[in-house]
Amino acid sequence: MTLLERVGWPWGVLGAAIPQVVFAVAIVVVPLLAAAGIALAVALVQAAIFRARGEPTTTVAGGVLGVAIASGISVWTGSAANFFLVGIVAALVGLVATTASVVVRRPLTGLAWNALHGGGHAWREDRPVRRAHDVATLAAAAVFGARFVVTQWLYGIDATGGLAIAKVVMGTPMTLVAAAVAFWAFRRSTRRLITPTATPEDRLSPG
């Protein structure tokens, strides 16, 4: 199973925006409680479909839990914009975590690669590998940062529809960019630290 599959790609990422878009549309025509209920119902239907497809349990449960928390906060505070508050906080946490990991010279993508390959590789001592993971982790930090800045601004002006649009526009497309950079760093690490380098005798061997 690849790293992307472990986090529920593509259905976990693509499906995360659907309940939020449904909520933004529903809030225009129905009361807040009903809109939150509709969004949660959509998340439950998605969860059933994803589980039937064999998606990871963490992806299914995480999607429903996220919408349930967002709905609860929104209804409790009486604010439609607060439905998106969880995502805003998550973007901030992601920004801080990824940036801090690079500052302390333990980029998160490098830790993830090492964990997925047994945890015994001296990847931090290999300068090209560490630099690749610095780049990949900073790419993720840039995505988190952009999401936080834009959604925090939209939240400040109470633009519920804008928050839903930002979720779509800054969701899958930006995730794909960060994933591509992480994939490059993973491949570079594997080639340098795991894939054996052929010796001259190996290259001359007919087998």
Side-chain angles (χ1 to χ4, degrees):
M1 179 179 288
T2 66
L3 177 63
L4 288 177
E5 289 171 337
R6 286 171 184 263
V7 299
W9 177 266
W11 303 111
V13 176
L14 294 174
I18 295 177
Q20 302 194 45
V21 173
V22 168
F23 175 83
V25 173
I27 197 64
V28 177
V29 294
V30 298
L32 176 59
L33 181 60
I38 292 171
L40 183 57
V42 169
L44 288 170
V45 171
Q46 280 187 163
I49 294 173
F50 292 170
R51 198 69 191 93
R53 291 178 55 89
E55 297 298 319
T57 302
T58 52
T59 301
V60 175
V64 174
L65 180 61
V67 175
I69 292 174
S71 298
I73 292 174
S74 181
V75 172
W76 181 53
T77 60
S79 169
N82 280 347
F83 184 87
F84 301 89
L85 192 58
V86 172
I88 296 172
V89 173
L92 178 59
V93 172
L95 171 61
V96 172
T98 50
T99 303
S101 73
V102 173
V103 171
V104 300
R105 302 171 69 85
R106 287 173 172 77
L108 288 181
T109 60
L111 294 174
W113 177 87
N114 194 35
L116 288 172
H117 291 85
H121 300 281
W123 62 275
R124 294 178 58 234
E125 281 67 50
D126 189 299
R127 185 170 297 180
V129 168
R130 196 184 69 241
R131 286 178 176 173
H133 286 293
D134 282 342
V135 171
T137 303
L138 286 173
V143 170
F144 284 125
R147 287 175 179 168
F148 175 71
V149 170
V150 172
T151 55
Q152 173 64 21
W153 174 71
L154 291 169
Y155 176 81
I157 63 175
D158 202 31
T160 304
L163 285 165
I165 294 172
K167 178 67 177 180
V168 175
V169 174
M170 306 186 77
T172 301
M174 295 184 73
T175 299
L176 283 173
V177 173
V181 181
F183 179 74
W184 163 76
F186 272 50
R187 287 195 63 183
R188 186 175 181 83
S189 303
T190 301
R191 287 176 176 175
R192 289 186 63 84
L193 301 178
I194 295 180
T195 304
T197 302
T199 64
E201 292 78 8
D202 293 332
R203 287 192 287 268
L204 292 174
S205 173

